[in-house]
Amino acid sequence: MNSNETNIKTHALLSPSASKRWLSCTPSLRLSELFGDTGTSDAALEGTVAHALCAILLTAMREKEPIIGADTDAVEALKKSDEFTPADVDTYYCPEMLEYCTGYAAFVYSEYQKALKTTPDAVLMIETMIDVSMYGNGMRGTTDAAIVSDFGLAIFDFKYGKGVKVEATENTQMMIYALGNIAKYEMFYTFEDVTMHIYQPRMGNCSTYASTVTDLKKWGGDYLKPRAEAAMQGEGEYECGDWCRFCPARTRCKKIASTYYNVFNAYSGKEIPTLTDAELVEVVRMSKDVMKWYDAVSAYVLQQMKDGQPFDGLKLVEGRSSRTYSDEDAIAEILIENGYNADDIYKERKLKGITDLQKLLKKKVMDELIGGLIIKSPGAPTIADVGDNRKAVNDAKNDFEDLNI
C-alpha cells in the first residue's frame, strides 16, 4: 500500500461510521478531539479481518477466480493483507468467519447478477473510497460494496459485530454512503431508486432500506450539510442517546453525567413500590447505560492514576493478588519424588467449551458430528425493550390461561 492509500484509509473527522453521534450531538465532534485516539479494540480488529476476507471472496466471484473454500487458503490470502499482521489473522480468524463472509459475498454477488440482466454494463464496486465533501468538509468513507445500474443503486455494508443489532432503516452511515455513490456515478447511469443493505450474519440480521436519489439529496441538503457544518464548528446542543456508548468524551461529558444524576435524584428518595409503572420502565431502560457509564468513568480514572495523574480523595492500592506457578513441570516432579501420586496433583481432562469447539470445527461439521449431543437450555428471563427482536416469553399470568379449574 502506498502512502496515498494509507492516507485514504484514515478516518475522516466527519466519519460516516460515527455520523449518528455527531449528527445527534453536533458539539461532540470537537469535544471528542480532546481525547485523541482511543485505540483499536479486539472487536474492531476482528471486524477488520472479516471485512478483508469479504473483499477477497467477493472479488474472486466478480473476477471468476477460484473461490476460497478451505481454512488454509483463507488464512494464506488474509496474511497477504497489510491492514493487519499475520499474528492478527491467527488470533481472529476461525472457520466460522469464512462461513459468514462467504454468505455475505454470495448475497452481494447474487444481487449483482440480477442487475446485469437489466443493465449489461452494471458494475460491482468493492471497498471503494467515496467522497462526500460536498455535504461536509473532508467527509469521506469506504463502501463495502456497491452495485450501480440504470435501474438502481444498491449499497452493502457488512457488520461482523454481534453485540448490537444494526438496522438499515434511515441509517445515517448508509445514507451518507449512498450520497457519495450518487455523486460518483449519477453522470454515467440513470438510476433513481436506491437500496441500502446491512448484512450482519452473527445476529441473523439482513436489513434493507429503500429510498430515492431525490429524497436522499433533500436529506443531505436540508439536514446532513447544516449539521455537519455545526459539528465542525463545535456548535449546537449536547444530546444524550444510544450514540454516547461509542463517544470518546463520554467519561468527562457533563451532559451524560447530569442526565444520569437527574434520573438518580428523581427516584432515589422513593420506595420502589411507590414508583409508577412508567417510572419503573424509565429506570430499567436507563440502568444498563448508567452502569456502563460508571464502569467507563472508573476505568478512565484508574488509567489516569496509573499514568501519574492525582485525584484528590482517591488513591491507588494493590488489588487482590493471585498466585501462579512459575514452572509446573518442576513442581510436579518435586511432588512425585516426595511420594505424591500423579492422579492427586493433576486435574482430569475437560472437554473444551461449545464456542471453542465451534471455532475448531465448522458449524456444519459440528452439527453433523455432535449436534444431537448438544442441549440448548432456555435462557433465564431477562428484561428487554419492546423493540428487541427476541420473542417475548410467557409471563406468570399466561402460564395459567390454559388451565381448566
Side-chain angles (χ1 to χ4, degrees), residues 117-158:
K117 292 179 180 179
T118 59
T119 306
D121 64 342
V123 294
L124 167 58
M125 307 303 294
I126 303 168
E127 290 289 327
T128 305
M129 182 70 195
I130 48 104
D131 177 19
V132 208
S133 58
M134 67 288 294
Y135 294 100
N137 186 23
M139 193 187 304
R140 64 177 186 270
T142 302
T143 308
D144 290 346
I147 298 172
V148 194
S149 73
D150 286 331
F151 288 85
L153 168 67
I155 308 294
F156 301 85
D157 197 50
F158 179 77

Side-chain angles (χ1 to χ4, degrees), residues 22-37:
W22 54 257
L23 283 170
S24 302
C25 179
T26 53
S28 68
L29 184 73
R30 290 301 184 185
L31 181 63
S32 297
E33 284 188 296
L34 301 177
F35 294 83
D37 186 4

Side-chain angles (χ1 to χ4, degrees), residues 116-382:
L116 287 173
K117 292 179 180 179
T118 59
T119 306
D121 64 342
V123 294
L124 167 58
M125 307 303 294
I126 303 168
E127 290 289 327
T128 305
M129 182 70 195
I130 48 104
D131 177 19
V132 208
S133 58
M134 67 288 294
Y135 294 100
N137 186 23
M139 193 187 304
R140 64 177 186 270
T142 302
T143 308
D144 290 346
I147 298 172
V148 194
S149 73
D150 286 331
F151 288 85
L153 168 67
I155 308 294
F156 301 85
D157 197 50
F158 179 77
K159 302 290 187 187
Y160 198 61
K162 58 180 179 179
V164 179
K165 184 179 179 181
V166 184
E167 297 288 354
T169 303
E170 296 185 343
N171 184 295
T172 58
Q173 178 184 7
M174 297 296 288
M175 293 166 76
I176 292 173
Y177 285 162
L179 285 171
N181 280 277
I182 289 169
K184 189 168 186 174
Y185 299 111
E186 65 179 344
M187 291 180 61
F188 309 102
Y189 295 87
T190 59
F191 58 83
E192 170 64 14
D193 294 329
V194 181
T195 309
M196 290 155 273
H197 304 272
I198 286 179
Y199 192 92
Q200 192 176 17
R202 293 204 289 180
M203 294 198 73
N205 175 36
C206 188
S207 178
T208 300
Y209 176 56
S211 187
T212 64
V213 171
T214 302
D215 288 344
L216 285 166
K217 284 186 175 181
K218 179 174 174 51
W219 174 81
D222 295 348
Y223 182 79
L224 175 61
K225 188 173 182 177
R227 293 191 75 82
E229 290 175 354
M232 290 296 287
Q233 296 298 322
E235 298 173 348
E237 298 294 328
Y238 287 97
E239 297 291 342
C240 287
D242 58 0
W243 51 85
C244 294
R245 72 170 72 114
F246 299 119
C247 181
R250 69 189 183 280
T251 54
R252 283 190 178 269
C253 178
K254 286 187 177 181
K255 181 65 176 181
I256 295 178
S258 63
T259 299
Y260 293 158
Y261 286 154
N262 288 341
V263 171
F264 176 79
N265 291 332
Y267 303 123
S268 62
K270 295 184 179 181
E271 294 292 333
I272 290 179
T274 67
L275 294 178
T276 66
D277 287 353
E279 289 173 332
L280 287 171
V281 168
E282 182 176 5
V283 172
V284 169
R285 280 179 168 169
M286 294 201 69
S287 62
K288 291 182 179 179
D289 288 336
V290 173
M291 288 186 285
K292 287 179 181 178
W293 177 70
Y294 280 139
D295 289 342
V297 171
S298 296
Y300 172 77
V301 172
L302 174 61
Q303 187 58 54
Q304 293 294 302
M305 294 180 74
K306 287 181 178 179
D307 293 340
Q309 171 69 34
F311 287 84
D312 290 341
L314 298 176
K315 64 179 181 180
L316 283 179
V317 297
E318 185 176 313
R320 184 176 180 179
S321 63
S322 60
R323 298 180 298 171
T324 58
Y325 298 127
S326 62
D327 189 333
E328 291 190 7
D329 291 336
I331 291 172
E333 185 178 345
I334 291 171
L335 293 176
I336 291 173
E337 287 178 353
N338 283 271
Y340 291 92
N341 192 292
D343 291 336
D344 293 329
I345 65 173
Y346 283 108
K347 273 191 174 182
E348 60 181 286
R349 289 187 304 170
K350 184 178 180 181
L351 194 64
K352 285 185 175 181
I354 293 175
T355 300
D356 288 334
L357 278 183
Q358 188 163 308
K359 288 181 179 179
L360 178 66
L361 309 169
K362 287 189 176 181
K363 186 177 185 299
K364 183 178 180 181
V365 174
M366 183 174 179
D367 290 342
E368 290 176 352
L369 294 179
I370 59 174
L373 300 174
I374 296 175
I375 300 172
K376 186 174 182 180
S377 303
T382 186

